[in-house]
Amino acid sequence: MKGLLCNTKKISPRISVAIALFILFAISLTPITVNAAGNTIKLTVKQSYSASSFSAAETFIYRLKPLDPDSPMPTGSTEEGYRFAISGITGVEVGPVTYSNQGIYYYELWQQIETEKANVIYDRSIYSIEVHVDESLNAYVIVKDKIGIKLSEIVFTNSRDTGGWVDPPTPTPPPIETPPPSESPPPTNPPVTEPPPVSPTPPETVDPTEELNDGRTPSGGATPDTDPDPDEEIIIDDGNPPGSGLEPDDGGDRPGVDSPRTGDDSRTTLDIALFAAGSLLVISALLILVLGKKKARQGD
């Protein structure tokens, strides 16, 4: 015994590390049988959650899918795999699955979240399942997590976020108040009041015999003489001196020349006087201006 201990102490560190790695490798190859009976297996899948956060019959959906479409599957499977549900805190058996050929069959199992529930934190683990069938058609199962660690059971644990979450109440719209009908609703359009009829103003009656200020009748002619004197000489004023022999000037052929009319002589005389006074004022202003400039030059 003493010699054995002495030999053990002489083992190098490299050999010790190699022995440890071999032991770990051997353990990883050790199969875990999950309800295997010959060439038929059943997988036990468990569901867990806090009963205080969920109802006792909370239901969640799971799916088992083969990586090879030719791998055996439970009855009721489709191209999308085998879908099953678990209600409450319990476990179910998936299967049976029967194998007729030797080989290794690979599957994946996960929780299928079809409609997310409020405040639920789902277990999104994906389990890798290997079914090894030997020459004698004896099947055994190895279960691993996503990083390759071998597991002894399949458990999905869901939880609920209780961090003060409260489902908001559904708002109720306020009732629409309908005003009571009035006894006499006001008219939509005000009544139109027609203006009173306007009596036409009769036109003024002009007396044709009434003379205007210039001695003519309203029609423009001279006042007719109801009792002319046959011995009275009629003199026609043509604008030329008597005996000049010039043609009468009607004032219409030369622009700027107006024929004098009876009663305009006093106005013409006033115009000439105003023109002369204005001319004297202009000449006086020019003389004052010239004299002022001469005095300014003499002063310089």
Short mmCIF file of all heavy atoms in Angstrom, two decimals, residues 11-50:
data_model
loop_
_atom_site.label_atom_id
_atom_site.label_comp_id
_atom_site.label_asym_id
_atom_site.label_seq_id
_atom_site.Cartn_x
_atom_site.Cartn_y
_atom_site.Cartn_z
N ILE A 11 3.23 10.30 -10.49
CA ILE A 11 2.49 10.57 -11.72
C ILE A 11 2.64 12.05 -12.08
O ILE A 11 2.43 12.94 -11.24
CB ILE A 11 1.00 10.22 -11.55
CG1 ILE A 11 0.85 8.73 -11.30
CG2 ILE A 11 0.20 10.62 -12.78
CD1 ILE A 11 -0.56 8.30 -11.00
N SER A 12 2.97 12.33 -13.32
CA SER A 12 3.20 13.72 -13.75
C SER A 12 1.88 14.47 -13.87
O SER A 12 0.81 13.87 -14.06
CB SER A 12 3.93 13.74 -15.09
OG SER A 12 3.10 13.18 -16.09
N PRO A 13 1.93 15.80 -13.79
CA PRO A 13 0.69 16.60 -13.94
C PRO A 13 0.02 16.41 -15.28
O PRO A 13 -1.21 16.46 -15.40
CB PRO A 13 1.18 18.03 -13.75
CG PRO A 13 2.42 17.89 -12.94
CD PRO A 13 3.07 16.62 -13.40
N ARG A 14 0.76 16.21 -16.35
CA ARG A 14 0.16 16.02 -17.68
C ARG A 14 -0.70 14.77 -17.71
O ARG A 14 -1.80 14.76 -18.30
CB ARG A 14 1.25 15.93 -18.73
CG ARG A 14 2.02 17.26 -18.91
CD ARG A 14 3.05 17.11 -20.03
NE ARG A 14 3.77 18.37 -20.22
CZ ARG A 14 4.73 18.54 -21.13
NH1 ARG A 14 5.09 17.51 -21.92
NH2 ARG A 14 5.33 19.70 -21.24
N ILE A 15 -0.18 13.68 -17.07
CA ILE A 15 -0.96 12.45 -17.06
C ILE A 15 -2.24 12.63 -16.24
O ILE A 15 -3.31 12.14 -16.61
CB ILE A 15 -0.10 11.30 -16.48
CG1 ILE A 15 1.10 11.04 -17.41
CG2 ILE A 15 -0.93 10.03 -16.33
CD1 ILE A 15 2.05 9.99 -16.88
N SER A 16 -2.16 13.40 -15.16
CA SER A 16 -3.35 13.65 -14.35
C SER A 16 -4.41 14.40 -15.14
O SER A 16 -5.62 14.09 -15.07
CB SER A 16 -2.97 14.44 -13.09
OG SER A 16 -2.04 13.72 -12.31
N VAL A 17 -3.99 15.40 -15.90
CA VAL A 17 -4.95 16.16 -16.73
C VAL A 17 -5.57 15.28 -17.79
O VAL A 17 -6.78 15.33 -18.06
CB VAL A 17 -4.25 17.37 -17.36
CG1 VAL A 17 -5.17 18.06 -18.36
CG2 VAL A 17 -3.82 18.36 -16.29
N ALA A 18 -4.78 14.39 -18.39
CA ALA A 18 -5.31 13.50 -19.42
C ALA A 18 -6.34 12.55 -18.83
O ALA A 18 -7.38 12.26 -19.45
CB ALA A 18 -4.17 12.74 -20.06
N ILE A 19 -6.05 12.03 -17.62
CA ILE A 19 -7.01 11.12 -16.99
C ILE A 19 -8.33 11.85 -16.69
O ILE A 19 -9.43 11.32 -16.90
CB ILE A 19 -6.40 10.53 -15.70
CG1 ILE A 19 -5.21 9.62 -16.06
CG2 ILE A 19 -7.45 9.76 -14.91
CD1 ILE A 19 -4.44 9.13 -14.85
N ALA A 20 -8.24 13.11 -16.22
CA ALA A 20 -9.46 13.86 -15.91
C ALA A 20 -10.29 14.11 -17.16
O ALA A 20 -11.52 13.98 -17.16
CB ALA A 20 -9.10 15.17 -15.23
N LEU A 21 -9.63 14.48 -18.27
CA LEU A 21 -10.37 14.70 -19.52
C LEU A 21 -11.02 13.43 -20.01
O LEU A 21 -12.14 13.46 -20.54
CB LEU A 21 -9.42 15.26 -20.58
CG LEU A 21 -8.89 16.69 -20.34
CD1 LEU A 21 -7.88 17.07 -21.42
CD2 LEU A 21 -10.04 17.68 -20.32
N PHE A 22 -10.35 12.30 -19.86
CA PHE A 22 -10.93 11.03 -20.30
C PHE A 22 -12.19 10.70 -19.50
O PHE A 22 -13.18 10.22 -20.03
CB PHE A 22 -9.90 9.91 -20.16
CG PHE A 22 -10.43 8.56 -20.51
CD1 PHE A 22 -10.59 8.18 -21.84
CD2 PHE A 22 -10.79 7.66 -19.51
CE1 PHE A 22 -11.10 6.92 -22.15
CE2 PHE A 22 -11.31 6.41 -19.82
CZ PHE A 22 -11.46 6.04 -21.15
N ILE A 23 -12.11 10.97 -18.17
CA ILE A 23 -13.27 10.69 -17.34
C ILE A 23 -14.46 11.56 -17.75
O ILE A 23 -15.60 11.09 -17.86
CB ILE A 23 -12.92 10.91 -15.86
CG1 ILE A 23 -11.88 9.86 -15.40
CG2 ILE A 23 -14.16 10.83 -14.98
CD1 ILE A 23 -11.34 10.10 -14.02
N LEU A 24 -14.22 12.86 -18.02
CA LEU A 24 -15.31 13.74 -18.46
C LEU A 24 -15.88 13.30 -19.79
O LEU A 24 -17.10 13.35 -20.01
CB LEU A 24 -14.79 15.18 -18.54
CG LEU A 24 -14.44 15.85 -17.20
CD1 LEU A 24 -13.83 17.23 -17.46
CD2 LEU A 24 -15.67 15.97 -16.32
N PHE A 25 -15.03 12.92 -20.71
CA PHE A 25 -15.50 12.46 -22.02
C PHE A 25 -16.36 11.22 -21.89
O PHE A 25 -17.38 11.06 -22.55
CB PHE A 25 -14.29 12.20 -22.92
CG PHE A 25 -14.66 11.72 -24.29
CD1 PHE A 25 -15.20 12.58 -25.24
CD2 PHE A 25 -14.46 10.39 -24.64
CE1 PHE A 25 -15.52 12.14 -26.50
CE2 PHE A 25 -14.80 9.94 -25.91
CZ PHE A 25 -15.34 10.81 -26.84
N ALA A 26 -15.93 10.28 -21.01
CA ALA A 26 -16.70 9.06 -20.81
C ALA A 26 -18.07 9.36 -20.21
O ALA A 26 -19.08 8.75 -20.56
CB ALA A 26 -15.91 8.09 -19.91
N ILE A 27 -18.08 10.34 -19.28
CA ILE A 27 -19.37 10.70 -18.68
C ILE A 27 -20.31 11.29 -19.72
O ILE A 27 -21.52 11.02 -19.74
CB ILE A 27 -19.16 11.67 -17.51
CG1 ILE A 27 -18.43 10.94 -16.36
CG2 ILE A 27 -20.48 12.25 -17.02
CD1 ILE A 27 -18.06 11.86 -15.22
N SER A 28 -19.78 12.14 -20.63
CA SER A 28 -20.62 12.75 -21.65
C SER A 28 -21.20 11.74 -22.61
O SER A 28 -22.24 11.97 -23.22
CB SER A 28 -19.81 13.80 -22.43
OG SER A 28 -18.76 13.16 -23.14
N LEU A 29 -20.56 10.58 -22.78
CA LEU A 29 -21.08 9.55 -23.67
C LEU A 29 -22.04 8.61 -22.96
O LEU A 29 -22.64 7.74 -23.59
CB LEU A 29 -19.93 8.74 -24.27
CG LEU A 29 -19.03 9.52 -25.25
CD1 LEU A 29 -17.92 8.59 -25.73
CD2 LEU A 29 -19.81 10.05 -26.42
N THR A 30 -22.16 8.75 -21.67
CA THR A 30 -23.06 7.86 -20.93
C THR A 30 -24.50 8.21 -21.27
O THR A 30 -24.93 9.35 -21.05
CB THR A 30 -22.84 7.98 -19.43
OG1 THR A 30 -21.48 7.69 -19.14
CG2 THR A 30 -23.76 7.03 -18.66
N PRO A 31 -25.28 7.34 -21.86
CA PRO A 31 -26.64 7.66 -22.25
C PRO A 31 -27.57 7.80 -21.06
O PRO A 31 -27.37 7.19 -20.02
CB PRO A 31 -27.04 6.48 -23.13
CG PRO A 31 -26.21 5.35 -22.61
CD PRO A 31 -24.91 5.93 -22.15
N ILE A 32 -28.60 8.64 -21.25
CA ILE A 32 -29.66 8.79 -20.26
C ILE A 32 -30.92 8.23 -20.89
O ILE A 32 -31.40 8.73 -21.91
CB ILE A 32 -29.86 10.25 -19.84
CG1 ILE A 32 -28.59 10.76 -19.15
CG2 ILE A 32 -31.06 10.38 -18.92
CD1 ILE A 32 -28.68 12.19 -18.73
N THR A 33 -31.46 7.22 -20.33
CA THR A 33 -32.65 6.58 -20.87
C THR A 33 -33.89 7.27 -20.31
O THR A 33 -34.01 7.46 -19.10
CB THR A 33 -32.68 5.09 -20.51
OG1 THR A 33 -31.49 4.48 -20.99
CG2 THR A 33 -33.89 4.40 -21.13
N VAL A 34 -34.79 7.67 -21.23
CA VAL A 34 -36.03 8.33 -20.82
C VAL A 34 -37.19 7.44 -21.24
O VAL A 34 -37.59 7.43 -22.40
CB VAL A 34 -36.14 9.72 -21.46
CG1 VAL A 34 -37.43 10.39 -21.01
CG2 VAL A 34 -34.94 10.56 -21.12
N ASN A 35 -37.71 6.69 -20.28
CA ASN A 35 -38.86 5.81 -20.51
C ASN A 35 -38.69 4.99 -21.79
O ASN A 35 -39.55 4.97 -22.66
CB ASN A 35 -40.16 6.63 -20.60
CG ASN A 35 -40.48 7.30 -19.28
OD1 ASN A 35 -40.02 6.87 -18.23
ND2 ASN A 35 -41.31 8.35 -19.35
N ALA A 36 -37.53 4.33 -21.92
CA ALA A 36 -37.27 3.50 -23.10
C ALA A 36 -37.58 2.05 -22.78
O ALA A 36 -37.23 1.53 -21.73
CB ALA A 36 -35.82 3.65 -23.54
N ALA A 37 -38.26 1.42 -23.71
CA ALA A 37 -38.59 -0.01 -23.58
C ALA A 37 -38.34 -0.67 -24.92
O ALA A 37 -39.18 -0.62 -25.82
CB ALA A 37 -40.04 -0.21 -23.13
N GLY A 38 -37.14 -1.23 -25.08
CA GLY A 38 -36.78 -1.83 -26.35
C GLY A 38 -36.59 -0.77 -27.41
O GLY A 38 -35.84 0.19 -27.24
N ASN A 39 -37.34 -0.89 -28.49
CA ASN A 39 -37.24 0.08 -29.59
C ASN A 39 -38.32 1.16 -29.53
O ASN A 39 -38.55 1.86 -30.51
CB ASN A 39 -37.33 -0.65 -30.93
CG ASN A 39 -38.67 -1.34 -31.09
OD1 ASN A 39 -39.37 -1.59 -30.10
ND2 ASN A 39 -39.03 -1.65 -32.33
N THR A 40 -38.99 1.32 -28.39
CA THR A 40 -40.04 2.32 -28.22
C THR A 40 -39.68 3.24 -27.05
O THR A 40 -39.26 2.75 -25.99
CB THR A 40 -41.40 1.66 -27.96
OG1 THR A 40 -41.71 0.79 -29.06
CG2 THR A 40 -42.49 2.70 -27.82
N ILE A 41 -39.88 4.54 -27.26
CA ILE A 41 -39.57 5.50 -26.19
C ILE A 41 -40.77 6.42 -25.98
O ILE A 41 -41.65 6.56 -26.85
CB ILE A 41 -38.32 6.35 -26.53
CG1 ILE A 41 -38.63 7.28 -27.73
CG2 ILE A 41 -37.10 5.49 -26.79
CD1 ILE A 41 -37.61 8.36 -27.95
N LYS A 42 -40.79 7.06 -24.78
CA LYS A 42 -41.73 8.12 -24.45
C LYS A 42 -40.95 9.23 -23.75
O LYS A 42 -40.19 8.95 -22.82
CB LYS A 42 -42.85 7.62 -23.54
CG LYS A 42 -43.79 6.63 -24.19
CD LYS A 42 -44.88 6.20 -23.21
CE LYS A 42 -45.82 5.20 -23.82
NZ LYS A 42 -46.90 4.79 -22.88
N LEU A 43 -41.17 10.48 -24.20
CA LEU A 43 -40.52 11.63 -23.60
C LEU A 43 -41.44 12.25 -22.56
O LEU A 43 -42.61 12.50 -22.85
CB LEU A 43 -40.16 12.69 -24.65
CG LEU A 43 -39.13 12.29 -25.71
CD1 LEU A 43 -39.00 13.41 -26.74
CD2 LEU A 43 -37.79 12.01 -25.06
N THR A 44 -40.90 12.50 -21.36
CA THR A 44 -41.68 13.18 -20.33
C THR A 44 -41.31 14.67 -20.34
O THR A 44 -40.14 15.02 -20.13
CB THR A 44 -41.40 12.58 -18.94
OG1 THR A 44 -41.75 11.19 -18.96
CG2 THR A 44 -42.21 13.30 -17.88
N VAL A 45 -42.30 15.52 -20.59
CA VAL A 45 -42.10 16.97 -20.65
C VAL A 45 -42.89 17.59 -19.51
O VAL A 45 -44.11 17.34 -19.38
CB VAL A 45 -42.56 17.55 -22.00
CG1 VAL A 45 -42.31 19.06 -22.05
CG2 VAL A 45 -41.84 16.86 -23.15
N LYS A 46 -42.21 18.39 -18.66
CA LYS A 46 -42.84 19.00 -17.50
C LYS A 46 -43.02 20.50 -17.69
O LYS A 46 -42.25 21.14 -18.41
CB LYS A 46 -42.00 18.73 -16.24
CG LYS A 46 -41.87 17.27 -15.88
CD LYS A 46 -41.02 17.09 -14.64
CE LYS A 46 -40.87 15.62 -14.26
NZ LYS A 46 -40.05 15.43 -13.04
N GLN A 47 -44.02 21.02 -17.04
CA GLN A 47 -44.32 22.46 -17.05
C GLN A 47 -44.41 22.96 -15.62
O GLN A 47 -45.03 22.32 -14.77
CB GLN A 47 -45.63 22.71 -17.80
CG GLN A 47 -46.11 24.15 -17.78
CD GLN A 47 -47.37 24.34 -18.62
OE1 GLN A 47 -47.29 24.49 -19.82
NE2 GLN A 47 -48.53 24.29 -17.97
N SER A 48 -43.81 24.13 -15.35
CA SER A 48 -43.79 24.67 -13.99
C SER A 48 -43.98 26.17 -14.04
O SER A 48 -43.51 26.85 -14.98
CB SER A 48 -42.46 24.32 -13.30
OG SER A 48 -42.40 24.90 -12.01
N TYR A 49 -44.67 26.67 -13.00
CA TYR A 49 -44.82 28.11 -12.82
C TYR A 49 -45.34 28.36 -11.42
O TYR A 49 -45.74 27.41 -10.71
CB TYR A 49 -45.75 28.73 -13.87
CG TYR A 49 -47.11 28.09 -13.99
CD1 TYR A 49 -48.13 28.40 -13.10
CD2 TYR A 49 -47.37 27.17 -14.99
CE1 TYR A 49 -49.37 27.81 -13.20
CE2 TYR A 49 -48.61 26.57 -15.10
CZ TYR A 49 -49.61 26.89 -14.21
OH TYR A 49 -50.83 26.30 -14.31
N SER A 50 -45.37 29.62 -11.01
CA SER A 50 -45.83 29.96 -9.67
C SER A 50 -47.36 29.99 -9.67
O SER A 50 -47.98 30.74 -10.44
CB SER A 50 -45.27 31.32 -9.24
OG SER A 50 -45.83 31.72 -8.02
#
